[in-house]
Amino acid sequence: MVGMTLALIVMAAVISCFVFLSRNLARLQIQQKFESQGRRALLIFSQDVRMATAISTPTTESVSLSVVTPTGTTNVVYNYDFTSGTLTRTPGFSGVGTSPAMLINLTSFSFTYYDVFGHPYPLLTNYLIGIKQVSMSFNARSSATWNLTQPPFNYQVNSARVILRNKPLLP
Amino acid sequence: MTGQRLTKHSGFTLVDVMMGATILVVGLVGLIEAVLIGSEMQATARRQTTASQIVSNEIELLRLQDWATISALPAGTTSLAAWNGATLYHITDLVSFGGSWFRCIASNTGQSTANLSYWAIYSGPIASTGIDSAATFGVSRTVATGPNGLVEMTFTVTWVTKPSGSPVSRTYTRIATAYFGQYGLNLTYRRT
């Protein structure tokens, strides 16, 4: 009886430890995935904005940047798809959504545009000429199915205001 | 084993079981500790991302300023702080007031943050760090004279965390130094 009791206690402890470890390792994996995709998106977005010579069709969910290439310029389109919760980056505009998703599991996303003084533009197209800074903010959330015993993991990022360095202030 | 015959009393003794259980517990405690450390490191990586964006935001902002504004910034360290009516604010200074953040866009003393001729509402990375309730971010700017007429700007982002269950707080900093020249030359170094 003593042996059985001890064995049960040890087994219970071992099983609960393994459950704890597996849950937390899965959580770490999700966090690391979000961190990686977030940093990558911030880096590529910053590079594109800094390189862009012009900006067109700015909305809170999409923007098109004219980026210089060795043979001229190409449009790089960023588009947030609300239904799939993804942000796509399409270089050389050939239809939105054809590129692999840059960010996934998004629950909210927005671009914000500012003038040279840092004032945000509430009405975008009317102030297209004056846009000199762009930032993006997003919130990604792990799906509820990865681990039903823990709340979903939230990952929120507000980027720096990146300057359109190559875009002239006046047309 | 072939020469031995199992007797009725052979098997593990209580001491054997206790020793095995002790070894198992030591191993599992190590594993759990490793997971907790990994979790803390992941949180640190996330805060590093935020700090990196805060620094980038400040340096990008200065790139938009003309030389007159850059050279007029006072030497020494200026920390982000609550708005004070008696303080002389320079362009690009950041203050908090009434739970919001404001960026100085025209040098002034005593101008209310509601006056948009002098202040712009700021919603950059540092203004949103409330999303991370376990850490509070601060930023300071140190202006010094650099080589060859350059202005040296050092931004220090600091945050303090106290891991759950730990009595000790940890302070992290991320530092970036940027040089600004009169004719547009600039260079940035970063270190953590």
Side-chain angles (χ1 to χ4, degrees):
Chain A
M1 283 300 291
V2 174
M4 285 286 285
T5 309
L6 279 174
L8 281 175
I9 291 171
V10 170
M11 282 302 291
V14 168
I15 288 169
S16 49
C17 274
F18 274 109
V19 169
F20 171 83
L21 286 171
S22 62
R23 282 179 186 169
N24 280 279
L25 286 172
R27 188 175 180 82
L28 277 179
Q29 186 188 16
I30 296 275
Q31 288 178 344
Q32 199 275 334
K33 180 181 157 192
F34 279 17
E35 187 67 43
S36 300
Q37 74 165 9
R39 286 188 179 191
R40 179 173 172 272
L42 288 170
L43 177 69
I44 295 174
F45 172 72
S46 300
Q47 286 175 347
D48 283 341
V49 172
R50 285 172 185 147
M51 285 287 291
T53 54
I55 186 172
S56 57
T57 60
T59 71
T60 55
E61 295 181 350
S62 71
V63 66
S64 177
L65 301 166
S66 297
V67 178
V68 177
T69 66
T71 54
T73 59
T74 186
N75 284 328
V76 176
V77 179
Y78 284 85
N79 185 65
Y80 168 56
D81 184 350
F82 175 76
T83 52
S84 62
T86 58
L87 176 74
T88 52
R89 174 184 179 272
T90 310
F93 182 71
S94 59
V96 172
T98 55
S99 296
M102 203 175 181
L103 292 171
I104 59 171
N105 290 30
L106 294 173
T107 54
S108 64
F109 182 92
S110 68
F111 289 111
T112 312
Y113 308 90
Y114 308 88
D115 67 7
V116 70
F117 301 109
H119 293 302
Y121 282 121
L123 298 171
L124 307 172
T125 49
N126 292 345
Y127 299 96
L128 193 57
I129 296 169
I131 291 174
K132 190 61 180 171
Q133 302 174 74
V134 187
S135 71
M136 68 174 181
S137 59
F138 59 86
N139 189 23
R141 185 177 181 141
S142 62
S143 63
T145 53
W146 74 275
N147 190 338
L148 294 174
T149 58
Q150 291 195 5
F153 171 71
N154 277 308
Y155 181 77
Q156 188 171 353
V157 169
N158 281 21
S159 82
R161 295 179 184 182
V162 189
I163 302 171
L164 290 146
R165 294 182 187 177
N166 292 313
K167 176 180 178 288
L169 279 174
L170 297 173
Chain B
M1 292 296 290
T2 53
Q4 294 178 350
R5 188 167 64 89
L6 292 174
T7 65
K8 187 179 178 182
H9 301 291
S10 63
F12 294 112
T13 66
L14 195 58
V15 175
D16 292 333
V17 173
M18 292 303 288
M19 285 177 65
T22 306
I23 293 168
L24 197 63
V25 165
V26 169
L28 287 174
V29 166
L31 274 175
I32 290 171
E33 191 63 26
V35 168
L36 294 178
I37 290 171
S39 181
E40 182 60 26
M41 290 178 72
Q42 190 66 48
T44 302
R46 190 177 177 187
R47 288 166 195 145
Q48 288 277 7
T49 303
T50 303
S52 161
Q53 292 303 304
I54 291 170
V55 165
S56 292
N57 197 77
E58 298 303 310
I59 293 174
E60 290 281 287
L61 178 77
L62 285 171
R63 290 182 72 111
L64 280 177
Q65 309 306 318
D66 56 22
W67 178 247
T69 302
I70 296 284
S71 58
L73 292 173
T77 301
T78 306
S79 296
L80 172 138
W83 178 80
N84 185 323
T87 303
L88 169 62
Y89 290 107
H90 298 82
I91 296 174
T92 73
D93 282 353
L94 192 61
V95 298
S96 62
F97 183 76
S100 298
W101 299 94
F102 299 88
R103 177 80 71 183
C104 180
I105 57 173
S107 188
N108 71 86
T109 302
Q111 292 292 338
S112 159
T113 51
N115 189 337
L116 295 182
S117 297
Y118 294 91
W119 298 96
I121 297 170
Y122 175 68
S123 60
I126 200 166
S128 59
T129 50
I131 57 174
D132 186 357
S133 57
T136 304
F137 290 78
V139 61
S140 65
R141 177 192 65 210
T142 302
V143 180
T145 303
N148 302 321
L150 297 173
V151 173
E152 181 186 279
M153 304 266 189
T154 301
F155 291 95
T156 306
V157 177
T158 306
W159 67 100
V160 180
T161 63
K162 189 175 178 183
S164 58
S166 170
V168 183
S169 296
R170 292 179 186 156
T171 302
Y172 297 86
T173 56
R174 188 179 182 95
I175 300 170
T177 301
Y179 293 90
F180 294 86
Q182 186 170 3
Y183 302 108
L185 174 67
N186 55 65
L187 184 65
T188 302
Y189 295 103
R190 296 188 183 213
R191 59 185 188 272
T192 297

